[in-house]
Amino acid sequence: MTPIKTPKKLIEVALPLDAINTAAAREKSIRHGHPSTLHLWWARRPLAAARAVIFAQMVNDPGYERHLGRGVNKEKAALERERLFKLIEELVQWENTNNEEVLERARAEIWKSWRETCALNKNHPQAAELFDPDKLPAFHDPFAGGGALPLEAQRLGLESYASDLNPVAVTINKAMIEIPPRFAGRAPVGPLPPGERQARLHEDWRGARGLAEDVRRYGVWMRAEAEKRIGHLYPTVTITAELAAERPDLQPLVGQKLTVIAWLWARTVKSPNPAFSHVEVPLASTFVLSSKAGKEAYVEPVVEGDRYRFTVKIGQPTEAAKAGTAAGKRGGFYCLLSGSPIDYKYIRSEGQAGRMGARLMAIVVEGPRGRIYLPPIPEHEAIARQAEPTWRPDHALPVNPRDFKTPNYGLGRFSDLFTPRQLVALTTFSDLVGEAIERCRLDALAAGMPDDGVGLDAGGTGATAYAQAVGLFLALGTSRLADIQNALCSWEVSKTQVRHLFTKQAIPMLWDFAENNVFGEAAGDYEVSLANLLKAVEMMPCGKDGRATQADAQTQTLSRHKVVSTDPPYYDNIGYADLSDFFYVWLRRSLKPIFPGLYATLAVPKAEELVATPYRHGSKEAAERFFLEGMTRAIRNLAEQAHPAFPVTVYYAFKQSETEGEGGTTSTGWETFLEAVIQAGFAITGTWPMRTELGNRMIGAGTNALASSIVLVCRKRAADAPTVSRREFLRELNATLPEALEAMTRGGVHSPVAPVDLSQAIIGPGMAIFSQYAAVLEADGTPMRVKTALQLINRFLAEDDFDADTQFCLHWFEQQGWAAGKYGEADVLARAKGTAVDALVAAGVVEAARGSVRLLKWRELPADWSPETDTRTPIWEALHHLIRALNTEGESAAGRLLARMPTRAEAMRALTYRLYTLCERQGWAEDARAYNELVTAWSAIEQAAGDAGMVGVQGQLGL
């Protein structure tokens, strides 16, 4: 077989990581026009990272390659990389997302590299098929998810293909890459909403603007039509003299009708106290309505015998108001009437018996100067209870104990997650999508649009397909609405607004919830929801065609001869299929007539989903096996099909955990994923840490969520790859890594790799050596494990043969001292060192909480520590216990402790010198003094250890 001449790509040599990471972090605060506002998807990649990775994956590195006769010398290559870096730095800025001047320069670089590659391969037998200098290869992402990668490939000028097993993901990708280009440049066909006038005679309908305008116009019609049909369920509030009697703030508003923003409810159960067992008492986590300075308000319950009512007070909330009826540290709640405890076991039993209810606590209305809080109005509660939905999504919620908490309390079906009024609203809007599609089709015909009768799913471009395209976005608007129109939305007292359900990738239980007014002209209003969606549609690139299809990554054939970048599921972090059923039930109601194949099943397909879910597979071990075997097949599928001139890039962000088994310590995360990639036939030519998780990622504030992804750069390994010995592998590492390190740091002046990322980035060239071979053989003839290879690579950077936990602590201390650092950065460093943050916590050397990690000082270590019973004792931990003993009890106590762990003595002394030198260099005088005192006292400690008698060692310590 004739070899393909493939130049190294920029991503295989160097990247301006700092600029990419800064742009990706900034993107978390961008809302207007961001694809995340089109529809929610979990852990979507930032556009900045996706754009930079695909660009660097396609552009040739300028460095000299003798075997190809291309490139320039080291000095010129450095200057050329600097130029490309500056382009990437421009490319990743949010302001340049649709900056055609910047994008054209990026596209020109891609074309330049492509034509160079085609010229190198012009005599290849497959040149006509693989190397057409006038046609760029297409792009494919087989785990398309939220669609950031296919979208950015399209923006960079590539024909883009997206596939996913999940119908919701496929629908999102159709809305992003398939539909906008198909209907680009068309003027809207719908009539302007009543009262609006055409702004200009000649509107600018370039790109997807005309399509977005039609979605807006038919969305306005849908909202108006819905209000005609169900508006009576959403009454206004008339401020009466009675309401204003004890409220000076309401007196100027008497007689005015105010629009309701939200109704605030508390769930109820029958009191467990026999004297009040006939009363449904509230489960309220708080009675605070607003904590905004100068606008504080709270609910005050008034108990009257065996009854109670809610009033609203203006002013600083009392401590009782802040606590609601929650029982504090005891857990559960208490009975408002009797004070009797209501534990979760009782609440669960009441809920599962169908005896959990809800009671209106307060009403929020829009006043002339902001939010106004009112007590419950009986008529409003009665109207809410009159709502009778004609359809319910009565599918059972998954038995997923980690992500779904409501079934524990009797809310076991999707319909249970909504109030009857919300079900009526969502059903009404879902059904109106079909009516809007027919109106749009007729309007399109009247506007002169031809119609071939071919629908959107079959590739149609006429009036029928166009109307269905408009309908798809209207359906997404209804689906988005479900996220904030459900009975699990909280009221944010600091922002005084309703908070949507999916603030993390789970459906938790909520006791007091906020019900939006779907016609309230605020968050939760269909038109408001649609307006945010439309800003994203208007920004969609429409230059190249795109195609989104449903396909299993393990068996798909779309990747053939395409550029591939993908973001597969992270082991068990997110149960995409289970969670997306929440949206699927509403999308299916509107879109099944348009996409009968995509929405054929009652729920999202789950059996083939590559997520390690123990409840689905019977055990943790079976789930792990399913994931790794399936992921290996999926990656092998990519290795066999992807265009041979380009590396494949794979994002990975699993939080590594270690478990002890018969074979020793194993990892279900980073190392095992690397193993799967190598077993699939890939050689790894780069590993780049990127801060790619959105700041509002769906894992919840204050948790140890991943802040980074590792981008693996992979090439197909040669079929005739040889095997080498461990000695040969080490020789090659020692010859290659110094130059690779110099290239990454570039003398440390304008480093493209930040110090915190260097340990992870150096794995790239190290693993490139390891994974190019069929196997690296140990002395006994067995293949070297990935874990061992990573340790050998890290030793080069670390300079000392310390254990993995100590390696982490040493480098974290160098970066952070004793201060707390970001969990995501600690996670990247820990994985690079062959350990995990959880393992470091278990070892007792770090504290991880609220999204940050810090090293424990010697003063914080337990005085009763025993080296004999500690099953995981890094040299770092042993050393700092020795310092604790010396500083609190003296040399004799330190000697007795050293006598109990003599085999660690030499490593501890080496680490002490290393830390003393580090602290001196950093100017950390106090810390340097602690290590200096240990060095000074070492002889006395050694003598005391000898007097105490060594444990398990004869003779001298030999220090």
Side-chain angles (χ1 to χ4, degrees):
M1 183 181 290
T2 306
I4 285 172
K5 296 176 181 178
T6 172
K8 270 190 178 180
K9 301 300 177 184
L10 187 62
I11 201 168
E12 295 175 291
V13 179
L15 282 179
L17 274 183
D18 286 349
I20 298 168
N21 291 338
T22 300
R26 180 176 169 239
E27 195 177 311
K28 68 187 180 184
S29 60
I30 304 293
R31 301 303 298 163
H32 295 301
H34 196 278
S36 61
T37 61
L38 178 75
H39 196 279
L40 183 145
W41 190 258
W42 300 270
R44 185 188 260 110
R45 296 277 70 74
L47 308 187
R51 202 177 308 143
V53 166
I54 295 168
F55 174 83
Q57 181 179 353
M58 298 194 71
V59 171
N60 297 340
D61 180 75
Y64 179 62
E65 293 179 88
R66 183 187 300 274
H67 67 291
L68 295 179
R70 67 166 295 276
V72 293
N73 65 35
K74 185 181 288 188
E75 291 75 20
K76 289 181 180 177
L79 290 171
E80 180 63 7
R81 283 190 199 107
E82 193 65 41
R83 184 184 69 82
L84 292 171
F85 285 176
K86 284 188 168 67
L87 176 53
I88 292 175
E89 287 165 12
E90 287 184 81
L91 194 62
V92 296
Q93 298 304 313
W94 171 256
E95 291 79 8
N96 291 333
T97 301
N98 281 334
N99 184 327
E100 279 300 311
E101 189 273 327
V102 174
L103 290 170
E104 273 303 317
R105 281 194 279 132
R107 293 167 192 151
E109 292 296 339
I110 291 171
W111 272 105
K112 176 184 170 185
S113 291
W114 173 238
R115 286 178 175 139
E116 181 189 12
T117 304
C118 290
L120 287 170
N121 291 281
K122 63 184 178 182
N123 296 321
H124 192 276
Q126 291 179 279
E129 180 186 6
L130 292 174
F131 297 102
D132 181 349
D134 297 319
K135 183 175 173 57
L136 282 175
F139 173 89
H140 179 226
D141 179 358
F143 292 101
L149 278 60
L151 182 73
E152 293 312 304
Q154 192 177 56
R155 205 184 306 275
L156 288 170
L158 278 67
E159 186 180 340
S160 192
Y161 290 77
S163 61
D164 203 292
L165 191 62
N166 192 305
V168 177
V170 175
T171 304
I172 293 169
N173 277 275
K174 282 183 179 292
M176 289 168 65
I177 68 166
E178 184 176 313
I179 292 171
R182 196 187 302 183
F183 301 105
R186 299 195 186 189
V189 300
L192 280 167
E196 291 188 19
R197 292 182 179 180
Q198 194 78 31
R200 293 185 299 275
L201 187 61
H202 298 289
E203 289 279 8
D204 179 3
W205 303 122
R206 285 177 299 172
R209 292 172 188 170
L211 173 64
E213 174 61 13
D214 261 338
V215 175
R216 185 189 74 84
R217 292 179 185 184
Y218 290 103
V220 171
W221 173 82
M222 279 176 58
R223 184 193 183 278
E225 194 62 27
E227 192 162 17
K228 288 178 194 172
R229 300 179 190 184
I230 61 170
H232 61 280
L233 295 176
Y234 294 87
T236 57
V237 172
T238 301
I239 303 299
T240 62
E242 183 183 2
L243 275 174
E246 297 180 10
R247 289 276 299 275
D249 61 311
L250 295 181
Q251 287 167 8
L253 304 175
V254 170
Q256 290 190 27
K257 284 188 176 181
L258 301 180
T259 300
V260 175
I261 297 298
W263 292 270
L264 308 185
W265 301 81
R267 298 192 196 276
T268 60
V269 292
K270 292 286 179 66
S271 172
N273 187 307
F276 300 99
S277 60
H278 59 292
V279 183
E280 294 184 352
V281 293
L283 308 174
S285 59
T286 183
F287 285 132
V288 177
L289 298 172
S290 172
S291 60
K292 273 190 173 182
K295 297 183 179 181
E296 296 88 353
Y298 59 97
V299 169
E300 185 173 85
V302 178
V303 177
E304 298 167 335
D306 64 350
R307 297 182 180 184
Y308 64 94
R309 58 185 172 87
F310 293 122
T311 60
V312 169
K313 298 288 185 182
I314 303 301
Q316 284 287 348
T318 63
E319 290 304 312
K322 292 176 185 176
T325 60
K329 292 181 180 179
R330 291 179 295 167
F333 297 84
Y334 67 87
C335 170
L336 186 64
L337 303 182
S338 65
S340 301
I342 307 175
D343 61 25
Y344 287 116
K345 183 178 179 182
Y346 175 79
I347 299 170
R348 282 193 287 269
S349 66
E350 288 295 287
Q352 289 168 6
R355 291 192 291 268
M356 185 182 290
R359 180 157 169 175
L360 190 60
M361 280 199 306
I363 301 174
V364 187
V365 298
E366 190 65 69
R369 297 180 181 177
R371 306 284 196 252
I372 294 174
Y373 303 92
L374 303 173
I377 298 171
E379 292 79 10
H380 277 240
E381 191 159 1
I383 288 170
R385 299 191 190 285
Q386 288 168 9
E388 287 289 343
T390 57
W391 179 82
R392 294 172 179 269
D394 276 336
H395 318 313
L397 291 165
V399 187
N400 179 340
R402 186 191 70 174
D403 299 333
F404 290 78
K405 301 301 183 186
T406 62
N408 294 336
Y409 302 94
L411 307 181
R413 298 185 174 276
F414 280 99
S415 56
D416 297 332
L417 307 183
F418 304 88
T419 68
R421 177 161 52 188
Q422 288 169 335
L423 289 173
V424 169
L426 291 168
T427 303
T428 300
F429 278 103
S430 296
D431 292 347
L432 278 167
V433 170
E435 295 182 37
I437 289 172
E438 181 56 20
R439 291 176 72 90
C440 181
R441 188 184 72 83
L442 294 173
D443 290 338
L445 289 172
M449 187 182 292
D451 191 18
D452 51 11
V454 179
L456 190 65
D457 199 26
T461 57
T464 296
Y466 181 74
Q468 291 177 345
V470 170
L472 182 143
F473 289 104
L474 294 172
L476 285 173
T478 304
S479 183
R480 284 183 90 253
L481 198 63
D483 187 28
I484 201 167
Q485 282 286 347
N486 63 78
L488 296 168
C489 292
S490 58
W491 179 255
E492 290 198 49
V493 299
S494 59
K495 297 180 180 179
T496 63
Q497 64 185 34
V498 179
R499 191 178 193 189
H500 66 110
L501 165 58
F502 285 109
T503 55
K504 55 183 178 179
Q505 61 238 17
I507 295 183
M509 186 60 187
L510 196 69
W511 304 109
D512 35 289
F513 63 91
E515 183 184 14
N516 273 307
N517 181 355
V518 78
F519 306 113
E521 299 181 3
D525 184 306
Y526 180 76
E527 198 171 338
V528 172
S529 178
L530 202 63
N532 293 327
L533 175 153
L534 293 175
K535 292 185 181 76
V537 178
E538 289 172 357
M539 287 191 67
M540 297 301 173
C542 297
K544 288 290 180 179
D545 288 343
R547 179 76 174 149
T549 57
Q550 186 177 29
D552 186 339
Q554 299 176 64
T555 57
Q556 58 82 20
T557 57
L558 283 166
S559 292
R560 183 168 172 77
H561 298 165
K562 292 184 178 68
V563 179
V564 174
S565 182
T566 192
D567 178 25
Y570 305 143
Y571 194 65
D572 66 345
N573 281 19
I574 302 172
Y576 299 95
D578 285 344
L579 293 168
S580 57
D581 269 341
F582 179 88
F583 298 112
Y584 180 86
V585 295
W586 297 108
L587 288 169
R588 184 175 188 265
R589 185 165 175 84
S590 300
L591 297 180
K592 189 184 177 188
I594 301 175
F595 302 111
L598 192 59
Y599 287 93
T601 55
L602 287 174
V604 170
K606 298 177 179 64
E608 301 88 357
E609 184 189 34
L610 280 178
V611 173
T613 313
Y615 89 86
R616 194 179 292 160
H617 298 285
S619 69
K620 187 176 180 181
E621 294 72 24
E624 179 182 339
R625 188 166 57 251
F626 169 83
F627 173 81
L628 291 173
E629 289 175 357
M631 191 58 71
T632 302
R633 280 194 297 271
I635 296 172
R636 183 179 291 120
N637 197 23
L638 296 183
E640 291 169 354
Q641 293 189 72
H643 198 294
F646 300 91
V648 169
T649 53
V650 183
Y651 292 75
Y652 193 70
F654 181 67
K655 195 161 37 174
Q656 178 177 310
S657 61
E658 294 190 344
T659 53
E660 294 290 339
E662 292 181 6
T665 302
T666 58
S667 165
T668 53
W670 170 233
E671 295 155 11
T672 316
F673 190 79
L674 280 178
E675 197 87 57
V677 170
I678 292 168
Q679 286 178 12
F682 269 134
I684 295 162
T685 59
T687 59
W688 299 103
M690 291 192 178
R691 318 272 171 241
T692 57
E693 301 297 326
L694 291 177
N696 60 347
R697 58 196 181 274
M698 308 301 165
I699 304 177
T703 62
N704 290 333
L706 289 171
S708 299
S709 295
I710 307 303
V711 177
L712 297 177
V713 188
C714 310
R715 293 268 192 181
K716 190 173 182 181
R717 188 167 51 250
D720 58 351
T723 59
V724 294
S725 67
R726 179 189 179 106
R727 184 186 298 272
E728 290 169 307
F729 173 55
L730 285 170
R731 189 183 302 126
E732 204 167 343
L733 280 183
N734 291 330
T736 304
L737 293 190
E739 189 175 340
L741 189 62
E742 183 186 353
M744 286 178 180
T745 59
R746 291 161 61 222
V749 180
H750 300 293
S751 173
V753 180
V756 71
D757 292 327
L758 198 56
S759 295
Q760 182 65 51
I762 198 68
I763 290 172
M767 288 305 296
I769 297 168
F770 177 78
S771 58
Q772 71 180 321
Y773 295 112
V776 174
L777 301 179
E778 299 280 16
D780 62 0
T782 59
M784 181 183 287
R785 295 175 59 204
V786 166
K787 187 181 184 78
T788 306
L790 289 174
Q791 290 169 344
L792 293 173
I793 293 164
N794 269 300
R795 283 178 188 174
F796 170 83
L797 189 64
E799 300 174 1
D800 290 305
D801 196 9
F802 296 129
D803 56 87
D805 291 357
T806 299
Q807 295 271 13
F808 169 91
C809 294
L810 183 58
H811 283 263
W812 189 250
F813 183 67
E814 186 174 6
Q815 294 158 22
Q816 301 287 344
W818 302 110
K822 293 179 180 178
Y823 183 92
E825 294 185 357
D827 179 70
V828 169
L829 182 61
R831 275 184 284 170
K833 296 301 179 188
T835 183
V837 174
D838 291 346
L840 292 156
V841 172
V845 292
V846 305
E847 178 188 76
R850 300 191 63 78
S852 64
V853 172
R854 70 175 182 87
L855 292 166
L856 294 173
K857 297 181 179 180
W858 62 262
R859 297 180 186 85
E860 299 175 279
L861 300 178
D864 59 351
W865 178 73
S866 168
E868 295 88 352
T869 58
D870 190 343
T871 57
R872 187 177 186 126
T873 307
I875 294 301
W876 178 279
E877 181 186 22
L879 169 63
H880 288 85
H881 273 293
L882 199 64
I883 292 173
R884 175 190 52 76
L886 175 66
N887 287 349
T888 57
E889 297 177 73
E891 294 170 353
S892 296
R896 289 194 297 273
L897 185 58
L898 181 62
R900 295 160 65 189
M901 46 182 184
T903 58
R904 298 186 175 96
E906 186 58 37
M908 281 193 289
R909 191 172 72 152
L911 180 59
T912 306
Y913 277 107
R914 175 74 180 269
L915 288 168
Y916 174 73
T917 304
L918 170 63
C919 292
E920 282 282 286
R921 191 170 69 243
Q922 299 276 30
W924 298 341
E926 185 178 347
D927 292 315
R929 190 180 307 115
Y931 298 116
N932 186 54
E933 285 172 355
L934 182 64
V935 170
T936 305
W938 196 267
S939 295
I941 294 171
E942 174 192 350
Q943 182 62 49
D947 294 341
M950 297 300 160
V951 177
V953 174
Q954 293 181 346
Q956 296 294 311
L957 280 171
L959 297 179

